[in-house]
Amino acid sequence: MKLYNVDLSNFATKSRLVIYEKGLNIEMVPIPGSGLSSPEYAKINPLGKTPALDADGLLIPESEVINEYLEDKYPNPPLLPKSPEGRAKVRIITRFHDLYLEPPLRALFGQMNPKTRDAKVVEEKVTELTKRLGQLDQMLADGGYATGSEFTLADCALAPTMFFVTNLGPAFGIKALDGHPKIAAWWAHVQTRPSVKKGLGEQTAALAAMQRGAN
Protein backbone atom coordinates (compact mmCIF):
# COMPACT_ATOMS: atom_id res chain seq x y z
CA MET A 1 0.00 0.00 0.00
CA LYS A 2 1.05 3.58 -0.68
CA LEU A 3 -0.05 6.86 0.87
CA TYR A 4 0.21 9.86 -1.43
CA ASN A 5 1.35 12.35 1.12
CA VAL A 6 2.45 15.91 1.87
CA ASP A 7 4.22 16.21 5.23
CA LEU A 8 2.83 19.67 6.00
CA SER A 9 -0.79 18.73 5.31
CA ASN A 10 -2.88 18.31 8.44
CA PHE A 11 -5.16 15.84 6.65
CA ALA A 12 -2.23 13.74 5.43
CA THR A 13 -0.73 13.87 8.92
CA LYS A 14 -4.06 12.67 10.29
CA SER A 15 -3.67 9.45 8.29
CA ARG A 16 0.05 9.15 9.03
CA LEU A 17 -0.76 9.13 12.75
CA VAL A 18 -3.01 6.09 12.25
CA ILE A 19 -0.29 4.36 10.24
CA TYR A 20 2.29 5.10 12.95
CA GLU A 21 -0.03 4.00 15.75
CA LYS A 22 -0.72 0.69 14.07
CA GLY A 23 2.85 0.14 12.90
CA LEU A 24 1.73 -0.46 9.32
CA ASN A 25 4.11 -1.02 6.43
CA ILE A 26 2.67 1.63 4.12
CA GLU A 27 4.98 3.51 1.78
CA MET A 28 4.84 7.30 1.96
CA VAL A 29 5.11 8.67 -1.56
CA PRO A 30 5.24 12.30 -2.70
CA ILE A 31 2.63 13.80 -4.98
CA PRO A 32 3.77 13.18 -8.58
CA GLY A 33 4.25 15.97 -11.09
CA SER A 34 4.13 19.60 -10.08
CA GLY A 35 1.76 19.14 -7.15
CA LEU A 36 -1.83 18.38 -6.24
CA SER A 37 -3.21 19.92 -9.45
CA SER A 38 -0.78 18.12 -11.75
CA PRO A 39 -2.10 15.94 -14.59
CA GLU A 40 -0.02 13.07 -13.22
CA TYR A 41 -1.77 13.18 -9.87
CA ALA A 42 -5.18 13.69 -11.46
CA LYS A 43 -4.80 10.25 -13.03
CA ILE A 44 -4.31 8.80 -9.54
CA ASN A 45 -6.75 10.92 -7.54
CA PRO A 46 -9.16 13.03 -9.61
CA LEU A 47 -10.07 15.00 -6.47
CA GLY A 48 -6.54 16.39 -6.43
CA LYS A 49 -6.22 16.30 -2.65
CA THR A 50 -3.92 14.68 -0.15
CA PRO A 51 -3.85 12.11 1.28
CA ALA A 52 -4.90 9.31 -1.01
CA LEU A 53 -4.29 5.66 -0.21
CA ASP A 54 -3.51 3.08 -2.86
CA ALA A 55 -4.69 -0.06 -1.09
CA ASP A 56 -3.46 -2.77 -3.44
CA GLY A 57 -5.14 -1.11 -6.41
CA LEU A 58 -8.13 0.38 -4.58
CA LEU A 59 -7.72 4.16 -4.52
CA ILE A 60 -9.16 5.61 -1.31
CA PRO A 61 -9.31 9.42 -1.04
CA GLU A 62 -10.30 11.48 2.02
CA SER A 63 -8.38 11.12 5.27
CA GLU A 64 -11.28 10.00 7.43
CA VAL A 65 -12.32 7.31 4.93
CA ILE A 66 -8.70 6.16 4.82
CA ASN A 67 -8.52 6.07 8.62
CA GLU A 68 -11.74 4.11 9.01
CA TYR A 69 -10.57 1.68 6.31
CA LEU A 70 -7.28 1.13 8.13
CA GLU A 71 -9.17 0.65 11.40
CA ASP A 72 -11.44 -1.94 9.77
CA LYS A 73 -8.58 -3.77 8.09
CA TYR A 74 -6.11 -3.59 10.98
CA PRO A 75 -8.24 -3.41 14.15
CA ASN A 76 -5.31 -3.82 16.55
CA PRO A 77 -4.36 -1.66 18.27
CA PRO A 78 -7.87 -0.21 18.17
CA LEU A 79 -8.46 3.47 17.46
CA LEU A 80 -12.24 3.20 17.80
CA PRO A 81 -13.99 2.02 20.97
CA LYS A 82 -15.96 -1.23 20.87
CA SER A 83 -19.33 0.22 21.88
CA PRO A 84 -21.58 2.04 19.39
CA GLU A 85 -21.79 4.91 21.87
CA GLY A 86 -18.02 5.18 22.15
CA ARG A 87 -17.65 5.09 18.38
CA ALA A 88 -20.29 7.79 18.02
CA LYS A 89 -18.36 10.05 20.42
CA VAL A 90 -15.22 9.69 18.31
CA ARG A 91 -17.10 10.32 15.08
CA ILE A 92 -18.81 13.39 16.49
CA ILE A 93 -15.39 14.95 16.99
CA THR A 94 -13.89 13.81 13.67
CA ARG A 95 -16.96 15.16 11.88
CA PHE A 96 -16.81 18.40 13.86
CA HIS A 97 -13.15 18.73 12.93
CA ASP A 98 -13.66 18.21 9.20
CA LEU A 99 -16.81 20.30 8.74
CA TYR A 100 -16.61 23.06 11.36
CA LEU A 101 -13.19 23.52 12.99
CA GLU A 102 -10.81 23.13 10.06
CA PRO A 103 -12.53 25.20 7.30
CA PRO A 104 -12.17 28.66 8.91
CA LEU A 105 -8.56 27.86 9.75
CA ARG A 106 -7.90 26.83 6.13
CA ALA A 107 -9.45 30.09 4.92
CA LEU A 108 -6.85 31.98 6.95
CA PHE A 109 -3.89 30.22 5.29
CA GLY A 110 -4.21 32.56 2.31
CA GLN A 111 -4.28 35.60 4.60
CA MET A 112 -0.91 35.18 6.28
CA ASN A 113 0.69 38.19 4.58
CA PRO A 114 -0.47 41.35 6.41
CA LYS A 115 0.16 43.42 3.26
CA THR A 116 -2.23 41.45 1.04
CA ARG A 117 -4.74 40.43 3.68
CA ASP A 118 -8.50 40.86 3.19
CA ALA A 119 -9.56 42.39 6.51
CA LYS A 120 -13.19 41.34 6.09
CA VAL A 121 -12.29 37.71 5.42
CA VAL A 122 -9.88 37.68 8.35
CA GLU A 123 -12.46 39.13 10.73
CA GLU A 124 -15.12 36.61 9.66
CA LYS A 125 -12.87 33.58 9.82
CA VAL A 126 -11.18 34.54 13.10
CA THR A 127 -14.63 35.00 14.66
CA GLU A 128 -15.76 31.62 13.34
CA LEU A 129 -12.61 29.79 14.39
CA THR A 130 -12.77 31.33 17.87
CA LYS A 131 -16.36 30.13 18.16
CA ARG A 132 -15.37 26.61 17.06
CA LEU A 133 -12.53 26.46 19.57
CA GLY A 134 -15.01 27.30 22.31
CA GLN A 135 -17.28 24.51 21.12
CA LEU A 136 -14.38 22.07 21.00
CA ASP A 137 -13.43 22.96 24.56
CA GLN A 138 -16.92 21.95 25.64
CA MET A 139 -16.81 18.70 23.65
CA LEU A 140 -13.48 17.34 24.85
CA ALA A 141 -13.45 14.74 27.61
CA ASP A 142 -11.50 15.03 30.85
CA GLY A 143 -9.66 11.72 30.50
CA GLY A 144 -6.51 12.95 28.79
CA TYR A 145 -7.45 12.27 25.18
CA ALA A 146 -10.25 13.72 23.07
CA THR A 147 -12.99 11.29 24.10
CA GLY A 148 -11.54 9.81 27.29
CA SER A 149 -8.58 7.76 28.47
CA GLU A 150 -7.91 6.04 25.13
CA PHE A 151 -6.18 7.52 22.07
CA THR A 152 -8.58 7.39 19.09
CA LEU A 153 -9.21 8.62 15.57
CA ALA A 154 -10.51 11.82 17.17
CA ASP A 155 -7.03 12.64 18.44
CA CYS A 156 -5.55 11.79 15.05
CA ALA A 157 -7.88 14.34 13.47
CA LEU A 158 -7.40 17.14 15.97
CA ALA A 159 -3.65 17.08 16.64
CA PRO A 160 -2.34 18.05 13.16
CA THR A 161 -4.85 20.89 12.87
CA MET A 162 -4.07 22.16 16.37
CA PHE A 163 -0.45 22.35 15.19
CA PHE A 164 -1.53 25.07 12.76
CA VAL A 165 -3.87 26.77 15.21
CA THR A 166 -1.09 27.13 17.80
CA ASN A 167 1.67 28.02 15.31
CA LEU A 168 -0.14 30.33 12.90
CA GLY A 169 -3.13 31.46 14.96
CA PRO A 170 -1.19 34.07 16.97
CA ALA A 171 -0.60 36.01 13.71
CA PHE A 172 -4.34 36.69 13.78
CA GLY A 173 -4.61 37.20 17.53
CA ILE A 174 -5.89 33.65 18.12
CA LYS A 175 -4.57 32.08 21.30
CA ALA A 176 -6.20 28.66 21.26
CA LEU A 177 -5.05 27.60 24.72
CA ASP A 178 -6.08 30.76 26.58
CA GLY A 179 -9.51 30.41 28.13
CA HIS A 180 -9.86 26.85 26.87
CA PRO A 181 -8.67 24.65 29.75
CA LYS A 182 -9.76 21.35 28.18
CA ILE A 183 -7.98 22.12 24.91
CA ALA A 184 -4.86 23.17 26.82
CA ALA A 185 -4.83 19.98 28.91
CA TRP A 186 -5.52 17.76 25.91
CA TRP A 187 -2.86 19.47 23.78
CA ALA A 188 -0.19 19.08 26.45
CA HIS A 189 -1.08 15.41 26.90
CA VAL A 190 -1.49 14.34 23.28
CA GLN A 191 1.92 15.72 22.28
CA THR A 192 3.60 13.19 24.59
CA ARG A 193 2.38 10.28 22.44
CA PRO A 194 5.18 8.93 20.18
CA SER A 195 3.06 8.84 17.02
CA VAL A 196 1.94 12.43 17.55
CA LYS A 197 5.49 13.56 18.31
CA LYS A 198 6.61 12.03 15.03
CA GLY A 199 3.76 13.47 12.96
CA LEU A 200 4.04 16.95 14.43
CA GLY A 201 7.81 16.81 13.99
CA GLU A 202 7.30 16.16 10.28
CA GLN A 203 4.88 19.08 10.06
CA THR A 204 7.33 21.33 11.91
CA ALA A 205 10.16 20.48 9.52
CA ALA A 206 7.92 20.97 6.48
CA LEU A 207 6.64 24.33 7.75
CA ALA A 208 10.20 25.53 8.40
CA ALA A 209 11.23 24.45 4.89
CA MET A 210 8.26 26.29 3.35
CA GLN A 211 9.04 29.45 5.31
CA ARG A 212 12.69 29.31 4.22
CA GLY A 213 11.57 29.00 0.61
CA ALA A 214 9.25 32.00 0.96
CA ASN A 215 12.03 34.24 2.23
Side-chain angles (χ1 to χ4, degrees), residues 153-177:
L153 296 182
D155 300 285
C156 294
L158 291 173
T161 291
M162 195 57 59
F163 166 84
F164 283 120
V165 176
T166 55
N167 278 279
L168 304 183
F172 301 99
I174 298 171
K175 297 179 180 179
L177 308 184

mmCIF file of all heavy atoms in Angstrom, residues 153-177:
data_model
loop_
_atom_site.group_PDB
_atom_site.id
_atom_site.type_symbol
_atom_site.label_atom_id
_atom_site.label_comp_id
_atom_site.label_asym_id
_atom_site.label_seq_id
_atom_site.Cartn_x
_atom_site.Cartn_y
_atom_site.Cartn_z
ATOM 1 N N LEU A 153 -9.208 7.874 16.825
ATOM 2 C CA LEU A 153 -9.206 8.615 15.567
ATOM 3 C C LEU A 153 -9.520 10.096 15.785
ATOM 4 O O LEU A 153 -9.131 10.939 14.976
ATOM 5 C CB LEU A 153 -10.227 8.022 14.588
ATOM 6 C CG LEU A 153 -9.986 6.585 14.095
ATOM 7 C CD1 LEU A 153 -11.069 6.188 13.103
ATOM 8 C CD2 LEU A 153 -8.602 6.432 13.471
ATOM 9 N N ALA A 154 -10.209 10.414 16.864
ATOM 10 C CA ALA A 154 -10.508 11.822 17.166
ATOM 11 C C ALA A 154 -9.222 12.596 17.441
ATOM 12 O O ALA A 154 -9.058 13.738 16.986
ATOM 13 C CB ALA A 154 -11.457 11.921 18.359
ATOM 14 N N ASP A 155 -8.311 11.991 18.168
ATOM 15 C CA ASP A 155 -7.026 12.642 18.444
ATOM 16 C C ASP A 155 -6.202 12.771 17.178
ATOM 17 O O ASP A 155 -5.517 13.781 16.966
ATOM 18 C CB ASP A 155 -6.260 11.841 19.503
ATOM 19 C CG ASP A 155 -7.021 11.745 20.808
ATOM 20 O OD1 ASP A 155 -7.070 12.739 21.550
ATOM 21 O OD2 ASP A 155 -7.580 10.657 21.086
ATOM 22 N N CYS A 156 -6.277 11.747 16.321
ATOM 23 C CA CYS A 156 -5.546 11.789 15.046
ATOM 24 C C CYS A 156 -6.030 12.946 14.187
ATOM 25 O O CYS A 156 -5.242 13.567 13.473
ATOM 26 C CB CYS A 156 -5.715 10.475 14.292
ATOM 27 S SG CYS A 156 -4.958 9.044 15.093
ATOM 28 N N ALA A 157 -7.326 13.230 14.250
ATOM 29 C CA ALA A 157 -7.882 14.335 13.467
ATOM 30 C C ALA A 157 -7.474 15.690 14.035
ATOM 31 O O ALA A 157 -7.061 16.596 13.296
ATOM 32 C CB ALA A 157 -9.400 14.217 13.414
ATOM 33 N N LEU A 158 -7.578 15.825 15.347
ATOM 34 C CA LEU A 158 -7.396 17.139 15.966
ATOM 35 C C LEU A 158 -5.938 17.589 16.045
ATOM 36 O O LEU A 158 -5.648 18.777 15.842
ATOM 37 C CB LEU A 158 -7.985 17.128 17.379
ATOM 38 C CG LEU A 158 -9.508 17.042 17.502
ATOM 39 C CD1 LEU A 158 -9.896 16.868 18.961
ATOM 40 C CD2 LEU A 158 -10.177 18.280 16.906
ATOM 41 N N ALA A 159 -5.029 16.677 16.342
ATOM 42 C CA ALA A 159 -3.648 17.084 16.645
ATOM 43 C C ALA A 159 -2.971 17.827 15.486
ATOM 44 O O ALA A 159 -2.368 18.889 15.703
ATOM 45 C CB ALA A 159 -2.823 15.874 17.084
ATOM 46 N N PRO A 160 -3.018 17.331 14.242
ATOM 47 C CA PRO A 160 -2.336 18.054 13.163
ATOM 48 C C PRO A 160 -2.931 19.424 12.869
ATOM 49 O O PRO A 160 -2.209 20.338 12.447
ATOM 50 C CB PRO A 160 -2.491 17.110 11.955
ATOM 51 C CG PRO A 160 -2.757 15.767 12.538
ATOM 52 C CD PRO A 160 -3.573 16.042 13.764
ATOM 53 N N THR A 161 -4.228 19.580 13.077
ATOM 54 C CA THR A 161 -4.853 20.885 12.871
ATOM 55 C C THR A 161 -4.509 21.834 14.012
ATOM 56 O O THR A 161 -4.268 23.028 13.794
ATOM 57 C CB THR A 161 -6.374 20.722 12.724
ATOM 58 O OG1 THR A 161 -6.640 20.060 11.475
ATOM 59 C CG2 THR A 161 -7.094 22.059 12.744
ATOM 60 N N MET A 162 -4.438 21.309 15.239
ATOM 61 C CA MET A 162 -4.067 22.157 16.368
ATOM 62 C C MET A 162 -2.628 22.649 16.219
ATOM 63 O O MET A 162 -2.283 23.733 16.720
ATOM 64 C CB MET A 162 -4.249 21.393 17.683
ATOM 65 C CG MET A 162 -4.249 22.275 18.921
ATOM 66 S SD MET A 162 -5.512 23.590 18.907
ATOM 67 C CE MET A 162 -7.006 22.619 18.762
ATOM 68 N N PHE A 163 -1.808 21.895 15.507
ATOM 69 C CA PHE A 163 -0.449 22.351 15.191
ATOM 70 C C PHE A 163 -0.509 23.702 14.479
ATOM 71 O O PHE A 163 0.225 24.634 14.801
ATOM 72 C CB PHE A 163 0.261 21.313 14.315
ATOM 73 C CG PHE A 163 1.525 21.811 13.670
ATOM 74 C CD1 PHE A 163 2.724 21.788 14.361
ATOM 75 C CD2 PHE A 163 1.516 22.303 12.369
ATOM 76 C CE1 PHE A 163 3.897 22.257 13.764
ATOM 77 C CE2 PHE A 163 2.668 22.764 11.769
ATOM 78 C CZ PHE A 163 3.866 22.741 12.465
ATOM 79 N N PHE A 164 -1.403 23.810 13.495
ATOM 80 C CA PHE A 164 -1.534 25.066 12.756
ATOM 81 C C PHE A 164 -2.181 26.151 13.608
ATOM 82 O O PHE A 164 -1.783 27.316 13.548
ATOM 83 C CB PHE A 164 -2.347 24.845 11.479
ATOM 84 C CG PHE A 164 -1.586 24.191 10.377
ATOM 85 C CD1 PHE A 164 -1.994 22.973 9.859
ATOM 86 C CD2 PHE A 164 -0.443 24.780 9.848
ATOM 87 C CE1 PHE A 164 -1.293 22.359 8.834
ATOM 88 C CE2 PHE A 164 0.264 24.182 8.823
ATOM 89 C CZ PHE A 164 -0.160 22.968 8.313
ATOM 90 N N VAL A 165 -3.185 25.777 14.375
ATOM 91 C CA VAL A 165 -3.867 26.773 15.212
ATOM 92 C C VAL A 165 -2.882 27.417 16.184
ATOM 93 O O VAL A 165 -2.873 28.636 16.373
ATOM 94 C CB VAL A 165 -5.047 26.144 15.979
ATOM 95 C CG1 VAL A 165 -5.679 27.166 16.923
ATOM 96 C CG2 VAL A 165 -6.106 25.617 15.013
ATOM 97 N N THR A 166 -2.023 26.609 16.794
ATOM 98 C CA THR A 166 -1.092 27.132 17.796
ATOM 99 C C THR A 166 0.113 27.831 17.168
ATOM 100 O O THR A 166 0.678 28.745 17.760
ATOM 101 C CB THR A 166 -0.603 26.021 18.737
ATOM 102 O OG1 THR A 166 -0.029 24.953 17.970
ATOM 103 C CG2 THR A 166 -1.748 25.466 19.573
ATOM 104 N N ASN A 167 0.499 27.414 15.950
ATOM 105 C CA ASN A 167 1.672 28.017 15.310
ATOM 106 C C ASN A 167 1.333 29.258 14.488
ATOM 107 O O ASN A 167 2.106 30.217 14.470
ATOM 108 C CB ASN A 167 2.379 26.991 14.424
ATOM 109 C CG ASN A 167 3.294 26.072 15.206
ATOM 110 O OD1 ASN A 167 4.419 26.429 15.525
ATOM 111 N ND2 ASN A 167 2.808 24.890 15.537
ATOM 112 N N LEU A 168 0.204 29.224 13.787
ATOM 113 C CA LEU A 168 -0.143 30.326 12.897
ATOM 114 C C LEU A 168 -1.243 31.221 13.464
ATOM 115 O O LEU A 168 -1.366 32.381 13.053
ATOM 116 C CB LEU A 168 -0.576 29.772 11.532
ATOM 117 C CG LEU A 168 0.430 28.866 10.819
ATOM 118 C CD1 LEU A 168 -0.108 28.448 9.462
ATOM 119 C CD2 LEU A 168 1.796 29.534 10.683
ATOM 120 N N GLY A 169 -2.030 30.683 14.388
ATOM 121 C CA GLY A 169 -3.130 31.455 14.961
ATOM 122 C C GLY A 169 -2.714 32.768 15.585
ATOM 123 O O GLY A 169 -3.412 33.785 15.415
ATOM 124 N N PRO A 170 -1.588 32.815 16.337
ATOM 125 C CA PRO A 170 -1.191 34.071 16.973
ATOM 126 C C PRO A 170 -1.019 35.237 15.991
ATOM 127 O O PRO A 170 -1.176 36.392 16.377
ATOM 128 C CB PRO A 170 0.135 33.710 17.652
ATOM 129 C CG PRO A 170 -0.024 32.253 17.980
ATOM 130 C CD PRO A 170 -0.765 31.680 16.808
ATOM 131 N N ALA A 171 -0.730 34.943 14.709
ATOM 132 C CA ALA A 171 -0.601 36.011 13.713
ATOM 133 C C ALA A 171 -1.919 36.739 13.505
ATOM 134 O O ALA A 171 -1.945 37.872 13.001
ATOM 135 C CB ALA A 171 -0.108 35.428 12.390
ATOM 136 N N PHE A 172 -3.016 36.090 13.902
ATOM 137 C CA PHE A 172 -4.342 36.686 13.783
ATOM 138 C C PHE A 172 -4.954 36.987 15.153
ATOM 139 O O PHE A 172 -6.148 37.255 15.268
ATOM 140 C CB PHE A 172 -5.272 35.743 13.012
ATOM 141 C CG PHE A 172 -4.798 35.420 11.628
ATOM 142 C CD1 PHE A 172 -4.134 34.226 11.371
ATOM 143 C CD2 PHE A 172 -4.995 36.311 10.587
ATOM 144 C CE1 PHE A 172 -3.694 33.922 10.091
ATOM 145 C CE2 PHE A 172 -4.554 36.012 9.299
ATOM 146 C CZ PHE A 172 -3.900 34.819 9.051
ATOM 147 N N GLY A 173 -4.119 36.921 16.192
ATOM 148 C CA GLY A 173 -4.610 37.195 17.533
ATOM 149 C C GLY A 173 -5.344 36.030 18.171
ATOM 150 O O GLY A 173 -6.027 36.202 19.180
ATOM 151 N N ILE A 174 -5.212 34.835 17.581
ATOM 152 C CA ILE A 174 -5.886 33.655 18.119
ATOM 153 C C ILE A 174 -4.939 32.928 19.071
ATOM 154 O O ILE A 174 -3.862 32.471 18.670
ATOM 155 C CB ILE A 174 -6.308 32.691 16.983
ATOM 156 C CG1 ILE A 174 -7.309 33.374 16.062
ATOM 157 C CG2 ILE A 174 -6.913 31.411 17.554
ATOM 158 C CD1 ILE A 174 -7.606 32.596 14.799
ATOM 159 N N LYS A 175 -5.340 32.817 20.311
ATOM 160 C CA LYS A 175 -4.567 32.077 21.301
ATOM 161 C C LYS A 175 -5.439 30.923 21.779
ATOM 162 O O LYS A 175 -6.236 31.059 22.705
ATOM 163 C CB LYS A 175 -4.147 32.998 22.454
ATOM 164 C CG LYS A 175 -3.229 34.131 21.992
ATOM 165 C CD LYS A 175 -2.835 35.041 23.138
ATOM 166 C CE LYS A 175 -1.920 36.170 22.656
ATOM 167 N NZ LYS A 175 -1.546 37.089 23.760
ATOM 168 N N ALA A 176 -5.270 29.787 21.094
ATOM 169 C CA ALA A 176 -6.204 28.663 21.262
ATOM 170 C C ALA A 176 -6.233 28.109 22.677
ATOM 171 O O ALA A 176 -7.245 27.549 23.106
ATOM 172 C CB ALA A 176 -5.838 27.555 20.278
ATOM 173 N N LEU A 177 -5.133 28.228 23.407
ATOM 174 C CA LEU A 177 -5.055 27.598 24.723
ATOM 175 C C LEU A 177 -5.567 28.518 25.831
ATOM 176 O O LEU A 177 -5.926 28.040 26.904
ATOM 177 C CB LEU A 177 -3.615 27.165 25.006
ATOM 178 C CG LEU A 177 -2.946 26.307 23.926
ATOM 179 C CD1 LEU A 177 -1.564 25.865 24.383
ATOM 180 C CD2 LEU A 177 -3.805 25.103 23.558
#
